[in-house]
Amino acid sequence: MSTGRVVGLAARTSKAAPIESAPSLRLLAGTGIVDEVHADPYSPRQLLLASRTAYEAFSLPPHALGENLLLDIETARLTSGTVLQIGGDVRLRMMFQCEACCQLDAAQPRLAQRISNRRGVLARVLTGGVIRAGDAVHDLGVLEQPWPDDWRERVRRVLDAAPEGSVVEYRVLSRLAGIQSTYCRAFPRLLARLGNYYAAMAVPAQSTVALPRWQGEGLFERS
């Protein structure tokens, strides 16, 4: 039975390019949308799914939330670890709710504050294929390990997955945890709170620690 439908698709080819509507999107398993700026095998933020109800509730102009898929279901209710099947082939793993950042305020004053967890949900591609507007959306339930919405807990999750005897550079850690690189400034304090074990595993790029640098291989297959 269908849970809902895709009502809109969009993508951007670079950070400088505007997001544009598309009649269809081709998705690659483990990577994201082909030729899209967020396509990245080491990121939990390969796609953003938003709800049409959020656009209606806040009277938003098209693409104000920056989503790739606009659905006629409430994305705030999608639990991390849930797998959605889109059309006949594509399967997406829901990772965590997208943080409402101040960039949203360009579309509407104080939107970031008011929209709360209705910005949308971030996802990874489990099974690739082509999706089109009008495709059915099926909720297959929680089939994958959930990830936390709190970015601090995601940092811990990434470090827990790092191979023994390796370290993770700050910028790689931010990428794997799905947060902006500006958060790197907060890492020393956060790591100190987590304890010596975690503090020793994350290093700035200029660190002289003579241990292998882990890039995230296998992270999303193990966790």
Side-chain angles (χ1 to χ4, degrees):
M1 181 178 294
S2 174
T3 302
R5 292 199 174 273
V6 177
V7 296
L9 299 168
R12 62 176 48 166
T13 56
S14 70
K15 290 183 179 180
I19 190 165
E20 296 182 347
S21 297
S24 65
L25 295 175
R26 181 175 295 278
L27 278 60
L28 186 63
T31 298
I33 302 169
V34 174
D35 296 327
E36 213 269 345
V37 66
H38 295 107
D40 181 353
Y42 296 117
S43 172
R45 317 173 58 100
Q46 293 175 351
L47 296 92
L48 176 61
L49 286 62
S51 172
R52 181 169 63 183
T53 60
Y55 274 85
E56 294 169 348
F58 295 93
S59 302
L60 299 175
H63 308 313
L65 300 179
E67 77 284 348
N68 302 112
L69 275 65
L70 185 63
L71 309 180
D72 63 358
I73 62 175
E74 182 54 74
T75 57
R77 297 176 183 171
L78 292 174
T79 304
S80 178
T82 296
V83 174
L84 295 183
Q85 179 168 321
I86 313 292
D89 299 316
V90 174
R91 291 193 175 188
L92 304 179
R93 174 187 179 181
M94 304 301 103
M95 296 301 296
F96 45 86
Q97 295 294 324
C98 185
E99 182 180 2
C101 64
C102 61
Q103 293 178 352
L104 296 179
D105 294 345
Q108 196 175 97
R110 299 177 55 250
L111 178 60
Q113 179 181 349
R114 293 182 293 112
I115 201 167
S116 185
N117 68 337
R118 299 186 69 185
R119 164 76 185 272
V121 61
L122 293 155
R124 281 181 56 86
V125 181
L126 293 177
T127 306
V130 176
I131 54 178
R132 299 174 177 84
D135 279 352
V137 178
H138 300 270
D139 185 340
L140 304 182
V142 178
L143 304 180
E144 299 287 336
Q145 185 173 349
W147 270 50
D149 289 333
D150 189 317
W151 69 271
R152 302 166 190 83
E153 290 303 316
R154 296 202 300 271
V155 167
R156 185 199 294 265
R157 171 72 61 87
V158 172
L159 293 177
D160 282 340
E164 185 176 355
S166 66
V167 293
V168 186
E169 292 186 0
Y170 286 176
R171 286 191 174 273
V172 174
L173 180 56
S174 66
R175 175 187 180 195
L176 298 175
I179 55 180
Q180 296 181 7
S181 59
T182 54
Y183 280 66
C184 293
R185 297 193 298 265
F187 282 170
R189 181 176 297 180
L190 171 62
L191 295 167
R193 288 202 303 267
L194 292 177
N196 293 336
Y197 172 78
Y198 292 100
M201 295 184 66
V203 298
Q206 66 271 23
S207 171
T208 59
V209 172
L211 289 173
R213 265 58 171 171
W214 184 53
Q215 301 300 314
E217 295 86 354
L219 170 63
F220 300 106
E221 287 73 34
R222 297 197 295 269
S223 62

